Amino acid sequence: MRQMIIGNWKMHGLLQTGAELAQEIGAAIGPISDARDVVLAPPFTLLSHLAPLLARHGIGLGAQDCHADAEGAYTGDISAEMLADLGVSHVILGHSERREHHHENNALIRRKVQRAREHGLCPVVCVGESEQQKEDTLAQAWLAKQITECLPRDFDGILAYEPIWAIGTGKAATQQDIESRLAFLHDALSQHLETDDKSTRVLYGGSVKPEDAASILAVPGVGGVLVGGASLSARSFLGIAQAGLPLAS
Ligand code: PEP
């Protein structure tokens, strides 16, 4: 299965700086995208601005959230249909920052997943345990609950394993931890999904840097990485995206 590299720009980037960053990444992405799928998720304000540029370079256009309802009186919100209308291909849902700051729960995320699918968007659903839940039994129960409650049984999107304690902290999970969590998640997915589909892509996210990307991408079961902070520099994002490929020297 091809691995996927997603850059989550969070609330960073203006018209000019965003276009410069996307352009720098786009100019060097050719040989990488022969081997891996690359998606950039800028803030909503840059989606239509960057859409043609990213399309020209074969980079997917991602959004960072969508509303659960089709339309309505929701001041400040963005619907899945609006995203599809702009050419968005992927939407990150249930990111821990939205769970924390916007009080999103599993039931709401499941509705967003369904809405995204209805409009042809590929949901990238984030799950992950907190520092307090790091111990195996607690973490597994929490992750299993997130899977069964966030994902409809006919889910055909992407899962991102993002331990909360690793996000933005500079402290990525170890290869062994990622391997055992991913084995658990793949198992939980095949029990939950009606398709018994072992091919769901499961990404790792949490302080991925160019220095450790090759070893993370080599972990069995890793379908790619979701990159936050390091996606804000073309050099570090490209370093991650090409890590471990024969073209990297
Ligand atoms: C994220 O926010 O999804 C993320 C992985 O952030 P960072 O790479 O900065 O830890």
Side-chain angles (χ1 to χ4, degrees):
M1 186 192 311
R2 278 166 69 90
Q3 291 184 314
M4 176 174 278
I5 314 293
I6 304 181
N8 172 15
W9 290 4
K10 311 194 185 192
M11 196 171 72
H12 296 284
L14 302 177
L15 290 176
Q16 188 175 336
T17 54
E20 284 166 2
L21 177 55
Q23 177 57 45
E24 221 184 312
I25 292 171
I29 209 70
I32 298 169
S33 50
D34 288 344
R36 289 183 173 142
D37 297 326
V38 179
V39 174
L40 290 180
F44 289 133
T45 49
L46 294 183
L47 289 171
S48 72
H49 186 52
L50 300 186
L53 192 159
L54 296 184
R56 242 189 346 267
H57 292 290
I59 297 175
L61 182 63
Q64 299 172 21
D65 182 44
C66 70
H67 198 276
D69 282 355
E71 61 180 357
Y74 300 112
T75 303
D77 280 312
I78 304 286
S79 74
E81 188 177 16
M82 291 169 184
L83 298 178
D85 195 33
L86 294 181
V88 167
S89 52
H90 293 74
V91 58
I92 299 171
L93 296 174
H95 191 283
S96 62
E97 287 156 9
R98 292 208 59 89
R99 292 179 190 258
E100 181 185 351
H101 303 304
H102 296 266
H103 312 292
E104 294 196 1
N105 61 26
N106 292 343
L108 176 70
I109 293 159
R110 185 192 192 98
R111 291 181 53 228
K112 291 185 177 200
V113 168
Q114 283 164 320
R115 189 67 63 192
R117 290 307 294 136
E118 210 174 287
H119 294 285
L121 304 175
C122 177
V124 179
V125 179
C126 302
V127 297
E129 78 282 6
S130 66
E131 181 85 55
Q132 295 75 30
Q133 295 163 326
K134 236 168 143 179
E135 190 263 314
D136 269 356
T137 334
L138 282 180
Q140 289 185 358
W142 182 253
L143 293 169
K145 184 172 160 65
Q146 288 188 317
I147 285 187
T148 52
E149 292 183 0
C150 293
L151 308 185
R153 293 176 68 89
D154 61 354
F155 179 71
D156 59 353
I158 295 168
L159 191 73
Y161 168 58
E162 299 212 302
I164 298 170
W165 49 267
I167 295 180
T169 59
K171 252 187 351 188
T174 64
Q175 275 178 273
Q176 293 94 313
D177 284 348
I178 297 173
E179 183 170 354
S180 70
R181 288 285 190 263
L182 259 65
F184 174 79
L185 288 168
H186 278 292
D187 216 48
L189 281 170
S190 51
Q191 282 180 41
H192 177 62
L193 300 184
E194 65 192 11
T195 46
D196 188 28
D197 178 6
K198 291 210 178 350
S199 67
T200 305
R201 231 176 331 201
V202 183
L203 314 186
Y204 167 76
S207 295
V208 178
K209 296 179 280 309
E211 310 83 87
D212 51 23
S215 57
I216 291 175
L217 286 161
V219 170
V222 169
V225 287
L226 177 49
V227 185
S231 70
L232 295 173
S233 137
R235 191 186 159 85
S236 59
F237 184 70
L238 289 164
I240 291 169
Q242 69 177 18
L245 294 180
L247 57 100
S249 53

